[in-house]
Amino acid sequence: DSIRIVSSGFLEIDIDGRTVVSDDRSIATIGEYRLEADRLVISPARNAIQASGNIVFESIRSGNRFEGDSIVFDFKKQMGYIENAEGGRDALRLVRNPETGSVAAFESLDENTSIFNHASLTTDNFPRPMYRLRGTEVVLMRGQRFFILHAVLYVRELPVVYMPYYSRRIGEPVLPW
C-alpha cells in the first residue's frame, strides 16, 4: 500500500528516503488506516509509523476510531501500541485504565477481529464511566461478540467481581444482572 501524507507544514525526508518526519499537525493514510497527529515519523520501507500528540487512529473499513497520546503501529504486521487509548465503535468503547495509565497493545488478526491487551470496555457514555470491565486480553469480533480473559468488573473504580472468562454478544447488555 502507498502512504499518503497531508501536512500543514514542512516534511523532512532523510537522504535515503527511509524516513519521513512531520512536526506539524498531519494526516497519514496507509491502506484502510488513517492517522492524524501533531508529530509523525514514518518509515515506508518497514511499513511502520510513530505518532505523538493528540492522535486519532481509525480504520476506514471497520469504523473503529481511537484517540490517545501516542502510537507505534506496524502496518505490515497489523500490530501496535496506543498510549492512553480511548475509543471504539458503536456502543462498546475502549476506556483508559486509571491504575496503569493505559498503554493498550493491540493486534488486528483480520478485518473483523482485534485483540487488546490490558484493556477496559464499557457501554457507559459518560466521560468517567460508572462501570467498566477490565481484562488481560480482550478479543473484539466486529459486530458479533467480545471475549475478556481474567475479567474484573469495576463500579466507580472499585473492583467488585472477578471472572476468569467473560463473553457477550455485541448489542446485548454488558452486565447480565
Side-chain angles (χ1 to χ4, degrees), residues 87-107:
R89 184 169 176 259
D90 302 326
L92 194 62
R93 295 186 309 126
L94 182 72
V95 292
R96 294 182 179 160
N97 289 324
E99 66 275 3
T100 65
S102 183
V103 176
F106 65 93
E107 179 177 357

Side-chain angles (χ1 to χ4, degrees), residues 61-165:
R61 188 175 352 171
S62 71
N64 286 323
R65 175 188 164 99
F66 297 98
E67 297 177 6
D69 295 335
S70 64
I71 184 173
V72 176
F73 190 71
D74 184 322
F75 290 95
K76 194 169 198 164
K77 294 179 182 174
Q78 301 282 299
M79 15 185 350
Y81 299 90
I82 299 180
E83 186 175 345
N84 289 323
E86 279 193 335
R89 184 169 176 259
D90 302 326
L92 194 62
R93 295 186 309 126
L94 182 72
V95 292
R96 294 182 179 160
N97 289 324
E99 66 275 3
T100 65
S102 183
V103 176
F106 65 93
E107 179 177 357
S108 181
L109 298 179
D110 58 39
E111 63 184 47
N112 293 318
T113 309
S114 299
I115 299 175
F116 295 86
N117 293 317
H118 302 288
S120 291
L121 295 176
T122 188
T123 57
D124 192 339
N125 289 327
F126 289 105
R128 284 189 61 193
M130 295 292 285
Y131 66 89
R132 64 185 173 96
L133 282 166
R134 180 180 190 271
T136 56
E137 188 171 279
V138 175
V139 178
L140 290 174
M141 298 177 72
R142 185 171 70 111
Q144 297 174 14
R145 58 185 318 112
F146 64 90
F147 304 88
I148 301 177
L149 184 62
H150 299 291
V152 177
L153 170 65
Y154 287 81
V155 176
R156 292 185 176 230
E157 293 309 318
L158 294 173
V160 177
V161 176
Y162 167 79
M163 298 164 274
Y165 178 83

